[in-house]
Amino acid sequence: MIRILLFLVVVFALGLGFAWLADRPGEMVVTFSGYQYQVSLMVAAVAVVAVVAAVMIAWWLLKALWNSPYTISRYFRVRRRDRGYQALSTGMIAAGAGDGALARKKTKEAAKLIRSDQEPLIQLLEAQASLLEGDHEGAREKFETMLEDPEMRLLGLRGLYLEAERLGDRNAARHYAGRAAAMAPQLAWAAESTLEDLTGRGDWDGALKLVEAQKSTRQIERDAANRRRAVLLTAKAQALIDSDPNAAKTAALEANRLRPDFAPAAGIAAKLLFRQNDVRKGAKILETAWKAEPHPEIAELYTHARPGDAVLDRLDRAKKLQEMKKNHAESSLAVARAALDAQDFSTARKEAEAAIRMDRREGAYLLLADIEEAETGDQGKVRQLLSKAVRAPRDPAWVADGVVSERWAPVSPITGKLDAFEWRAPMERLGQLIDSDEDAPDAAVPTIAAPTKPEKENVIELNPAGSAERPTAVAASETDEDDVAPVTATASAAVPPDGDAAEPAEEMARLPDDPGVDPDDEEQKSPRKFRLF
């Protein structure tokens, strides 16, 4: 657009110039070789412009003829390059689709048309074709060759890292990832693998620096970075709790500042503060974490904040926790444990049963069994509670990659992943809980009375001359002795108050596949008693 405007401006300026000359007539006299030439000023201007145009056209023609060999060779070179890039594009698409044969064919075609030193993607396509063909050794050689080219070095490290992961060589994979992270800290895969390596070796300071670099390069969000920093600082505090308590305290407080609801950070920070007799600050940290999410370790630390406290004082502290988080199973369990230690069995039993109503779990039944044994010593009830505990869902624990741990750990022992442990109930016994509502806390336990020996008046006498309903009743009692349908309240309520009582034969319909008992055969049988068992 700008060029068109400039062209129009030039044309307009030339037009104005020629118009200006046309309005001002004059003559030009040129003396050359004894001759005198006299022309008008307009003709002279036109002649000058024509000469300049002729010179420019002649120069363009001479230049075109001079550069024609280069132009022709350039045309064929560009055409060859376009064909090579077309083959390269088709080969990359084939490699992405998993067509190894077509990828290999297009790799050879692209290598003939384009030199590999001019286009590094040919090396990548060749390595991908080798992987599709199952030639992993050849692919690794190609990736190792890429390490010599600065432009392809990261790609080669990525390929070698994936091959090491495929072979299960974790050390080699972390080595390649570390080299890539040193060259390009913004690579997420390299940073994650290096972070796992640092945490696996216990280099918490190095891991913290790497997380800070990830945060600065915006690889991870701010909340995720704070979560990782809190986990790493908590792990650092655990490692230094005995050797350097002051450094451990600093790390634990920083972790608790980043994530006040993180129970392991709050627990270790409070423990270190309690060791330095700073009970008030440690209790405040535990209270904040308890309000966010109750945890049994927090309750244990809070109730035993002062080792010399009496059991009643610990019970009062447990009740204080319960006031902060009402209607929660962990609050009731904390009070029940403290009450059991104080031998306040009524409070302990009430809180344990309340915990079962809110969250039926194994630990609540075990605690209730301890209360029963301590208070009454009734081994029958204790065994009954223990059997319920076996069938109840398990208590929450720290779970990571199928591993259940009583204590929190910063990394998974299986995969080495950071912050893999979660506080949740293990999923091992869910299959036993399906359609199992016999241990529901609100359900009344039915009592089965021992069967007594029937008396003489309970014997059903056969009446040969009677109606057909009596043989039917006897037949039903003989064929289905154990299948006795109880009379429920719903069935009783369905009978109108002014209705006639129905005979048993009219209520009990004979099943289609049950022909019943022949009355002639029934008369020969001796009368027998109706028994439930």
Side-chain angles (χ1 to χ4, degrees):
M1 186 67 182
I2 297 177
R3 295 178 64 181
I4 294 176
L5 292 176
L6 290 176
F7 176 75
L8 294 176
V9 169
V10 171
V11 171
F12 183 72
L14 290 175
L16 288 178
F18 281 107
W20 183 79
L21 288 176
D23 293 339
R24 290 165 178 78
E27 294 180 349
M28 178 180 287
V29 178
V30 179
T31 303
F32 180 72
S33 185
Y35 294 94
Q36 188 177 19
Y37 303 94
Q38 184 177 0
V39 294
S40 62
L41 187 59
M42 179 62 69
V43 174
V46 172
V48 171
V49 172
V51 170
V52 172
V55 170
M56 291 177 65
I57 292 173
W59 175 255
W60 178 78
L61 290 173
L62 290 174
K63 185 179 180 181
L65 291 173
W66 180 264
N67 294 331
S68 58
Y70 173 76
T71 303
I72 294 172
S73 63
R74 180 184 177 184
Y75 167 76
F76 286 106
R77 186 169 61 251
V78 171
R79 184 168 177 268
R80 181 185 180 89
R81 185 189 63 185
D82 292 342
R83 289 171 54 198
Y85 277 109
Q86 182 63 36
L88 181 61
S89 177
T90 305
M92 294 297 292
I93 294 174
D99 191 350
L102 182 58
R104 175 62 66 185
K105 178 182 177 182
K106 292 301 179 180
T107 301
K108 295 179 180 179
E109 184 177 347
K112 292 179 181 179
L113 298 172
I114 308 175
R115 291 188 302 177
S116 59
D117 56 347
Q118 294 179 348
E119 184 49 65
L121 284 178
I122 296 179
Q123 301 181 24
L124 175 60
L125 180 57
E126 190 171 359
Q128 292 294 327
S130 299
L131 289 176
L132 291 174
E133 293 172 351
D135 186 10
H136 294 279
E137 187 66 28
R140 284 194 295 272
E141 292 179 359
K142 294 298 179 183
F143 289 131
E144 290 175 356
T145 305
M146 295 179 188
L147 299 180
E148 301 175 359
D149 186 0
E151 188 178 3
M152 300 288 293
R153 187 166 297 154
L154 291 176
L155 181 58
L157 290 173
R158 171 69 171 172
L160 292 173
Y161 167 79
L162 293 177
E163 282 297 300
E165 286 285 334
R166 184 186 63 83
L167 295 174
D169 192 350
R170 192 175 298 275
N171 293 329
R174 289 176 176 175
H175 168 72
Y176 294 127
R179 292 181 58 182
M183 295 175 57
Q186 72 276 6
L187 295 178
W189 63 271
E192 292 295 329
S193 180
T194 305
L195 182 63
E196 291 181 4
D197 183 27
L198 293 174
T199 54
R201 292 188 283 108
D203 188 0
W204 309 117
D205 292 330
L208 287 169
K209 292 180 181 178
L210 182 57
V211 170
E212 192 64 29
Q214 286 181 318
K215 181 181 177 181
S216 61
T217 56
R218 296 184 179 180
Q219 294 182 31
I220 54 178
E221 298 295 333
R222 180 178 180 180
D223 293 340
N226 290 339
R227 172 75 182 190
R228 288 188 175 184
R229 283 184 56 82
V231 171
L232 293 173
L233 288 169
T234 305
K236 180 180 178 181
Q238 286 184 348
L240 299 177
I241 190 171
D242 295 326
S243 59
D244 193 351
N246 292 327
K249 174 186 172 183
T250 303
L253 292 177
E254 177 67 16
N256 180 254
R257 184 186 65 82
L258 292 173
R259 294 299 300 266
D261 57 341
F262 188 42
I268 193 170
K271 185 183 297 184
L272 290 168
L273 289 171
F274 291 158
R275 288 185 180 181
Q276 297 179 2
N277 295 325
D278 194 351
V279 179
R280 182 178 180 182
K281 187 174 181 180
K284 186 177 180 180
I285 290 175
L286 293 178
E287 289 173 359
T288 303
W290 181 267
K291 292 177 183 178
E293 183 62 32
H295 196 277
E297 295 180 6
I298 296 177
E300 181 70 17
L301 287 172
Y302 190 81
T303 54
H304 293 81
R306 295 186 180 90
D309 284 352
V311 289
L312 294 178
D313 295 333
R314 292 201 294 267
L315 178 58
D316 292 338
R317 295 179 67 85
K319 291 181 178 179
K320 185 178 179 181
L321 282 180
Q322 189 179 30
E323 290 295 325
M324 298 177 188
K325 199 73 173 181
K326 296 181 180 179
N327 298 325
H328 199 280
E330 290 295 342
S331 300
S332 297
L333 289 175
V335 175
R337 294 188 188 98
L340 177 61
D341 293 339
Q343 295 186 355
D344 187 354
F345 299 116
S346 61
T347 302
R349 184 183 298 276
K350 181 182 69 173
E351 295 297 335
E353 291 175 351
I356 293 175
R357 287 193 298 270
M358 288 182 285
D359 185 9
R360 189 167 63 93
R361 62 172 72 168
E362 180 182 10
Y365 283 111
L366 293 177
L367 179 60
L368 194 58
D370 292 339
I371 296 171
E372 187 68 36
E373 185 175 10
E375 182 180 10
T376 64
D378 190 344
Q379 296 300 318
K381 291 184 178 180
V382 171
R383 286 194 295 271
Q384 183 182 14
L385 292 171
L386 292 178
S387 65
K388 291 182 178 181
V390 172
R391 295 191 299 271
R394 295 184 62 180
D395 291 282
W398 293 108
V399 183
D401 299 323
V403 177
V404 181
S405 174
E406 296 182 357
R407 298 295 179 183
W408 175 83
V411 296
S412 170
I414 304 299
T415 61
K417 181 181 177 182
L418 179 66
D419 193 20
F421 278 94
E422 300 178 355
W423 180 255
R424 59 179 177 84
M427 309 288 288
E428 296 180 2
R429 290 209 299 259
L430 284 183
Q432 302 178 9
L433 302 177
I434 298 176
D435 297 335
S436 176
D437 54 354
E438 60 181 359
D439 295 333
D442 295 333
V445 180
T447 57
I448 301 176
T452 57
K453 183 177 180 180
E455 298 296 332
K456 184 67 177 177
E457 60 269 18
N458 293 333
V459 178
I460 301 176
E461 297 290 340
L462 297 179
N463 187 6
S467 59
E469 64 269 16
R470 292 185 180 179
T472 305
V474 176
S477 64
E478 292 180 353
T479 56
D480 299 326
E481 289 180 342
D482 298 332
D483 299 332
V484 180
V487 179
T488 61
T490 304
S492 301
V495 180
D498 55 349
D500 295 334
E503 292 296 331
E506 296 177 1
E507 292 184 5
M508 186 180 302
R510 181 178 298 174
L511 296 177
D513 57 349
D514 185 9
V517 181
D518 192 350
D520 297 335
D521 296 339
E522 189 176 4
E523 292 177 358
Q524 299 176 2
K525 295 182 180 180
S526 60
R528 56 185 301 180
K529 298 178 182 180
F530 182 83
R531 295 181 180 179
L532 181 62
F533 295 95

